[in-house]
Amino acid sequence: MSKQASGRAQTVNAGRPWLGLTAFAGVSATFVMGLVVAPKDEQQRDAYRLLYMHVPAAWLAYLAFTVTAIASALYLVPRTRHLRWDYLAGASGELGVMFTALMLAGGSLWGKPVWGQWWAWEARLTTTAILLFLYLGYLALRRIGGSPQQRATRSAIAGLIAFIDVPIVHFSVSWWATLHQEGSVFNDKMQLHIRDGVMQFTLLLAVASFTLLYVWMCMRRMELLALDEGLAERELQLAIDERSNRPATTNPVTV
Amino acid sequence: MSLDYEHVWGYVLGGYGLTAGALGSYAFWLTKKLRRARRSVREANE
C-alpha cells in the first residue's frame, strides 16, 4: 500500500451514529429550551433568545479555526507530517466558515431590534467579517490544483496566517471602544446578566450540543475528503496505465 | 431611539430558522456525499 493510501486508511473512519443522534437531539432540545422554556430577559425581553444561537456559533468559529491552525502546524512539522492533519484542517476550516457566517447572521438579526441597525462598521463586526473572508480564501486555496502534499503545505501556511485574526476578533472589544458589548456570559458589567438557572442551563446545553455536532460533522467531512482524494488518485492511476498500455496496477482505495 | 422589544419574534425565529436550515442542509449534503463516496469506493475495489 502506498504511503498516501496508508494515510487515508488511518484517517478517522467517522461519524459514529450515536454521536450524530446525540448532537441533533441536543440541538433540538436547545431550540425548545431557547424558544419556549427559558424565561424572558428583564431588559431585552425575547430578543436575548438569539444568544442561544449566537454564542455557540461564535465559540465554534473560534474552536474550528483553532483546530485548523493546530492541524496545519502539525502538518508543517516534518516529524508529525501526515495527510490526516490536512484533512482535519480542511474539514474544520469549512465548518468554521459556516459557524462564522451563522454568528454574523444571528448577530445581525439581534442587532436590528436592539441596536436599531443590521450592521455597524465597528471593531468586532469588522474583524469578524475579515475573518470570514480570510477563511473563504483559505477554502478557495484548497481547491487549487496540485498534488495532495502541495495542497496540504500551502493550505497549512494559509491556515496559520489566517488564524492571526482570531485573537484580534476576540480582544477587539477590549482594545477598541466598540458598539459590541464585551463578553456576554462572564462579565458583570454586561447589560445581559445570565443569572437565571434555566437560562444558564440552556446556554450550556446549546454550547455542548453544538460542539458535539461540530465533532460529528468534522469527522464525517474528514472521511469524505480522504475518500474523494483516494478515488481521484485511483482514477488518475487508471488513466496513466491505460495511456501506457499497461494492465491496471492500482492499489485498492482504502478507507 | 425607542427599542421595541415586544415585537422581536420575527428576528428570533429568523435566527433559529437560519441556524436550523444551515446545519440541517450541511448535515444532509454531507451524509449524501459520504454515502455516495463509500459506495464508489466499494465498487472500485470490487
Side-chain angles (χ1 to χ4, degrees):
Chain A
M1 189 186 292
S2 71
K3 193 177 175 186
Q4 289 163 15
S6 166
R8 277 188 292 276
Q10 290 168 32
T11 302
V12 183
N13 185 1
R16 307 278 178 257
W18 63 267
L19 184 61
L21 287 173
T22 309
F24 274 106
V27 171
S28 303
T30 300
F31 274 56
V32 174
M33 292 292 294
L35 287 173
V36 182
V37 181
K40 284 182 184 180
D41 178 66
E42 283 176 14
Q43 292 179 13
Q44 294 189 18
R45 315 299 291 169
D46 290 308
Y48 98 98
R49 295 180 192 281
L50 282 163
L51 191 85
Y52 300 126
M53 301 290 111
H54 183 66
V55 171
W59 149 247
L60 283 170
Y62 286 165
L63 178 70
F65 293 145
T66 303
V67 168
T68 296
I70 292 170
S72 299
L74 286 169
Y75 183 81
L76 288 176
V77 174
R79 202 161 58 84
T80 53
R81 182 164 298 164
H82 199 293
L83 274 178
R84 68 167 169 262
W85 298 125
D86 175 62
Y87 300 143
L88 176 59
S92 194
E94 192 172 287
L95 287 165
V97 165
M98 182 174 69
F99 283 113
T100 306
L102 282 175
M103 167 174 52
L104 284 172
S108 189
L109 283 162
W110 175 87
K112 180 60 181 166
V114 178
W115 290 350
Q117 52 191 5
W118 295 103
W119 181 264
W121 289 106
E122 56 89 62
R124 171 57 71 82
L125 272 66
T126 306
T127 52
T128 306
I130 291 169
L131 186 73
L132 178 66
F133 286 107
L134 278 172
Y135 278 93
L136 280 172
Y138 167 81
L139 294 181
L141 195 65
R142 292 187 63 85
R143 298 178 77 88
I144 297 175
S147 71
Q149 287 72 22
Q150 287 171 330
R151 183 216 47 227
T153 304
R154 68 166 177 257
S155 305
I157 295 166
L160 285 172
I161 292 171
F163 185 73
I164 294 169
D165 194 36
V166 172
I168 296 174
V169 171
H170 183 71
F171 291 111
S172 58
V173 288
S174 310
W175 292 345
W176 297 289
T178 60
L179 184 59
H180 194 287
Q181 66 270 20
E182 290 187 27
S184 307
V185 184
F186 301 111
N187 187 345
D188 278 348
K189 290 181 292 184
M190 269 294 304
Q191 183 189 10
L192 182 66
H193 297 281
I194 303 179
R195 297 217 173 95
D196 180 89
V198 179
M199 287 180 174
Q200 287 173 347
F201 174 76
T202 306
L203 190 61
L204 192 67
L205 177 70
V207 170
S209 59
F210 276 62
T211 305
L212 277 184
L213 191 64
Y214 158 78
V215 172
W216 179 73
M217 285 176 165
C218 196
M219 290 165 78
R220 288 172 80 84
R221 190 69 182 101
M222 274 180 78
E223 186 185 347
L224 181 59
L225 285 170
L227 287 175
D228 280 347
E229 198 151 276
L231 285 164
E233 274 183 28
R234 186 187 169 92
E235 277 177 25
L236 180 66
Q237 189 60 51
L238 283 171
I240 290 168
D241 288 344
E242 191 178 307
R243 193 166 183 175
S244 55
N245 291 320
R246 282 200 312 248
T249 57
T250 53
N251 292 317
V253 180
T254 53
V255 183
Chain B
M1 181 175 56
S2 68
L3 300 179
D4 185 7
Y5 288 135
E6 295 301 331
H7 299 94
V8 295
W9 274 104
Y11 300 105
V12 174
L13 293 176
Y16 278 66
L18 197 67
T19 306
L23 296 179
S25 303
Y26 187 79
F28 178 75
W29 171 82
L30 194 54
T31 302
K32 198 173 153 187
K33 286 272 288 180
L34 194 54
R35 278 187 186 158
R36 190 179 297 168
R38 284 172 176 164
R39 193 170 56 238
S40 299
V41 168
R42 272 199 307 275
E43 287 169 2
N45 289 340
E46 279 174 0

